[in-house]
Amino acid sequence: MPATVLISEVGPRDGLQSVARTLPLAHKLAWVTALHAAGLREIEVGSFVPAARLPQLADTAAVVDHARTLPGLTVVALVPNLQGARAAIAAGVHKLTVPVSASAAHSLANVRKTREQMVDELRRIAALRADLAPQVGLEVGLSTAFGCTLQGLVPEDEVIALAEQVVAAGADEVGLSDTTGMADPAQVRRLFRRLQAAVGRHAGAAHLHNTRGLGLANCLAAFDVGVTSFDSSQAGLGGCPYAPGASGNVVTEDLVFLFERMGVHTGVDLHRLVAARAVLQRGLPGEPLHGMVPEAGLPPGFVYADGRQPDADPLRAATAGLA
Amino acid sequence: MPATVLISEVGPRDGLQSVARTLPLAHKLAWVTALHAAGLREIEVGSFVPAARLPQLADTAAVVDHARTLPGLTVVALVPNLQGARAAIAAGVHKLTVPVSASAAHSLANVRKTREQMVDELRRIAALRADLAPQVGLEVGLSTAFGCTLQGLVPEDEVIALAEQVVAAGADEVGLSDTTGMADPAQVRRLFRRLQAAVGRHAGAAHLHNTRGLGLANCLAAFDVGVTSFDSSQAGLGGCPYAPGASGNVVTEDLVFLFERMGVHTGVDLHRLVAARAVLQRGLPGEPLHGMVPEAGLPPGFVYADGRQPDADPLRAATAGLA
């Protein structure tokens, strides 16, 4: 069993794009600071997309600027095209993440390009990265890899072929995303094993949703076959505005608990994570926040994977006076 | 991978004992009928305990009487002592389930007996069964097998030793219960493997809770090591009135979806299961009902493990006009 996993927090991007209101910049910076303080070491802080399309994320460059000051943090931004990649590199991100849809229908709806056009665009982004900033990471998440609400079934052979194409086009890593919450554990194991067989060390993160309650079971399934990097979102905020019925990322709070309770180190402190949740809640009053661990608290006798004792206060006390 | 699992519905016992109101008998019978119509073939319909202690279940004999008329159904009742076992056998149950706490503190709180006294009581129940009704099943669920809110850690060696004692005392099967929602997947795998090694074919069901969101991940973990019988509760109703902080059984709707989506046959129809949920809702208006699948519906392209197509209507339509 691997002793450590990386939890990559996607709430500031995937979460906030799914909330109609815009979290004011000052709140966003405070939230990212609090997430970092909780021990998260990779945060997807926003997208470089036209402000008219996602006004909630129009201030991403300012968030990147702040996030870069947080020690040890890998600052990630989503870029759907070359123009976005150029802006993200200029802003100083450490890693670009490019969404490539495995479903033909979702590709057109999400980025207004065919899958082949997206692979071409990725090749241009990789060339730009090589020119301007070879130290910047370049990862691809294959959206709708486990099924698509627009198209239904997404053939596994197409997913794997696309993964090979994006690695050939220059991506460092390619992960699999259950954008619409359709995956099951058997499928997660099967597809990640095929991905590893096809692209080896380029196999990347699991980005799983909790739409039908299977989020943590699917994370466990991915972990069982050797995946060590997991996207999740504080309070389960998230979805995809261009995939009907997509809802609910895996909840970071619950995912951290799952791993730490199993003895797998995440580096995340649950009391501080709940304090970050309170910062989010203050910025988006009334927004429904998901997650079972923040409600139930830690069980008696809980210790972190590294043997550390949790704070003695109940978990919910971390939010006292902040709601 | 085993092709089939048994889902044992515990809502009418474990769920209703946790609801302060009493579901009127007519509603109870209609609910049990609807659960059976959904394809469930084992239902724990109540407890034989003093009515003063759990007035919500005082009509269990009448529920048994009705449930026995449903074809192919194994009718189970919880009995905490010899007197309850006598009443349950007289009522005509097919299987007795006896709770034996792995935690010393929970044993005293739940049944007012030490663990040793409960094993003695079980021996008397087994003798009664052998005398009066050898065809009736006798299973034990080891409560708080994964930890206890009253006591904290429950040593695994004590759990396994107790499992051996209850089999020696005459139980056909012994399962493990995460009464207080403290289990993690690594622990579930470890403890069920030890149980199987210790008691072989007498190893019984997984009874897991969703208190901290790990319910389905823990079921997956149990399934992975060969467990084929799972307790769950419609709408996640349940908990334990004598274990502080215990809440939320695994949700039957989501558990059925997990297995069927993985290609594992449960025999349960999700549209009919949601119709049963509506019957419950009518009887307990305002009671919070849990579960993600009833909200999100089935994904496009879903088929049951046996290849059957689901009804074309959205899942939620099964409750139309019934809420």
Side-chain angles (χ1 to χ4, degrees):
Chain A
M1 195 157 78
T4 297
V5 292
L6 175 70
I7 309 279
S8 183
E9 170 64 41
V10 300
R13 196 278 302 170
D14 197 343
L16 293 185
Q17 77 175 21
S18 308
V19 175
R21 283 176 286 174
T22 297
L23 184 65
L25 179 60
H27 276 102
K28 242 183 235 189
L29 303 187
W31 184 31
V32 169
T33 301
L35 290 167
H36 173 264
L40 289 157
R41 287 301 173 263
E42 181 168 300
I43 304 180
E44 196 171 315
V45 299
S47 292
F48 287 91
V49 293
R53 222 176 168 212
L54 280 178
Q56 304 98 313
L57 304 182
D59 53 10
T60 293
V63 185
V64 170
D65 208 46
H66 170 71
R68 278 167 50 85
T69 67
L70 301 171
L73 181 66
T74 300
V75 180
V76 185
L78 182 142
V79 301
N81 51 35
L82 187 66
Q83 189 183 348
R86 199 181 300 276
I89 290 171
V93 303
H94 302 127
K95 195 195 273 191
L96 306 168
T97 185
V98 180
V100 177
S101 297
S103 145
H106 183 260
S107 189
L108 291 172
N110 196 44
V111 291
R112 301 177 191 180
K113 288 188 177 70
T114 65
R115 293 173 295 182
E116 295 71 23
Q117 288 170 330
M118 267 310 284
V119 173
D120 289 342
E121 191 77 6
L122 178 67
R123 200 172 290 114
R124 288 187 282 272
I125 292 171
L128 179 81
R129 184 263 300 250
D131 274 359
L132 294 185
Q135 79 287 358
V136 168
L138 176 56
E139 71 170 21
V140 166
L142 291 187
S143 313
T144 61
F146 299 93
C148 171
T149 42
L150 298 170
Q151 167 178 320
L153 186 75
V154 177
E156 293 186 2
D157 289 349
E158 293 185 21
V159 177
I160 299 304
L162 192 59
E164 290 170 333
Q165 290 166 33
V166 303
V167 169
D172 305 331
E173 284 176 46
V174 54
L176 301 179
S177 301
D178 183 23
T179 313
T180 55
M182 293 165 68
D184 70 77
Q187 185 186 20
V188 167
R189 287 175 181 153
R190 196 168 60 236
L191 209 52
F192 269 103
R193 281 196 180 115
R194 287 193 62 180
L195 178 72
Q196 292 155 353
V199 304
R201 66 183 173 80
H202 301 286
H207 177 107
L208 300 167
H209 279 229
N210 199 36
T211 315
R212 293 178 176 84
L214 271 53
L216 292 185
N218 286 335
C219 287
L220 175 67
F223 177 77
D224 285 339
V225 297
V227 174
T228 57
S229 182
F230 295 84
D231 291 356
S232 64
S233 176
Q234 178 145 56
L237 286 191
C240 174
Y242 306 107
S247 72
N249 279 285
V250 165
V251 175
T252 305
E253 293 89 326
D254 294 353
L255 185 64
V256 167
F257 175 76
L258 168 75
F259 282 124
E260 292 288 342
R261 184 73 170 168
M262 286 175 69
V264 177
H265 183 65
T266 65
V268 180
D269 180 275
L270 282 161
H271 281 83
R272 290 184 179 196
L273 191 57
V274 169
R277 181 181 173 96
V279 173
L280 172 65
Q281 194 167 55
R282 257 192 311 190
L284 291 173
E287 190 67 27
L289 304 185
H290 305 289
M292 304 287 282
V293 172
E295 289 301 315
L298 295 174
F302 176 84
V303 291
Y304 287 98
D306 64 4
R308 207 164 30 96
Q309 300 282 335
D311 289 357
D313 293 335
L315 206 51
R316 274 200 268 184
T319 68
L322 290 172
Chain B
M1 196 159 78
T4 299
V5 292
L6 175 71
I7 309 279
S8 183
E9 170 64 41
V10 300
R13 195 279 301 171
D14 197 343
L16 294 184
Q17 78 176 21
S18 306
V19 175
R21 283 176 286 175
T22 296
L23 184 64
L25 178 60
H27 276 102
K28 240 182 236 190
L29 303 188
W31 185 31
V32 169
T33 301
L35 291 167
H36 173 264
L40 289 157
R41 288 298 173 263
E42 181 167 301
I43 304 179
E44 197 171 316
V45 299
S47 292
F48 287 90
V49 295
R53 226 181 164 203
L54 280 178
Q56 304 98 312
L57 303 183
D59 54 11
T60 293
V63 185
V64 170
D65 208 45
H66 170 70
R68 278 168 48 85
T69 67
L70 301 171
L73 182 67
T74 300
V75 180
V76 185
L78 183 144
V79 300
N81 52 35
L82 187 66
Q83 189 182 349
R86 199 182 299 277
I89 290 171
V93 302
H94 302 126
K95 195 195 272 192
L96 305 168
T97 185
V98 180
V100 177
S101 297
S103 146
H106 182 260
S107 189
L108 291 172
N110 196 44
V111 291
R112 301 178 191 178
K113 288 188 176 71
T114 66
R115 294 174 294 184
E116 296 70 23
Q117 289 170 328
M118 266 311 283
V119 174
D120 290 341
E121 191 76 9
L122 177 67
R123 201 172 290 114
R124 287 187 283 271
I125 292 171
L128 179 79
R129 185 261 302 246
D131 274 358
L132 294 186
Q135 78 286 1
V136 168
L138 176 57
E139 71 170 22
V140 166
L142 291 187
S143 312
T144 62
F146 299 92
C148 172
T149 43
L150 298 168
Q151 167 178 320
L153 186 75
V154 176
E156 294 186 0
D157 289 349
E158 292 185 20
V159 176
I160 299 303
L162 191 59
E164 290 169 334
Q165 290 166 35
V166 304
V167 170
D172 304 330
E173 284 176 45
V174 54
L176 301 178
S177 301
D178 184 24
T179 313
T180 55
M182 292 167 68
D184 70 76
Q187 186 187 20
V188 167
R189 286 175 181 153
R190 196 168 60 236
L191 209 53
F192 269 102
R193 280 196 180 115
R194 287 193 63 180
L195 178 72
Q196 291 156 353
V199 304
R201 68 184 172 79
H202 300 288
H207 176 107
L208 301 165
H209 279 228
N210 199 37
T211 315
R212 292 175 177 86
L214 272 53
L216 291 186
N218 285 336
C219 287
L220 176 67
F223 177 76
D224 285 341
V225 298
V227 175
T228 57
S229 182
F230 295 85
D231 290 356
S232 64
S233 176
Q234 178 145 54
L237 286 190
C240 174
Y242 306 107
S247 71
N249 279 283
V250 166
V251 176
T252 304
E253 293 89 327
D254 294 353
L255 184 64
V256 167
F257 175 76
L258 168 75
F259 282 124
E260 292 287 341
R261 185 73 169 167
M262 287 176 70
V264 177
H265 183 65
T266 65
V268 180
D269 179 275
L270 283 160
H271 280 82
R272 291 184 178 196
L273 191 57
V274 169
R277 181 180 173 97
V279 172
L280 172 65
Q281 196 168 53
R282 258 192 310 192
L284 291 172
E287 190 67 28
L289 303 187
H290 305 288
M292 304 287 282
V293 172
E295 288 302 315
L298 296 174
F302 175 85
V303 290
Y304 287 98
D306 63 4
R308 205 163 33 95
Q309 301 283 335
D311 288 357
D313 294 335
L315 206 52
R316 272 201 268 183
T319 67
L322 289 173

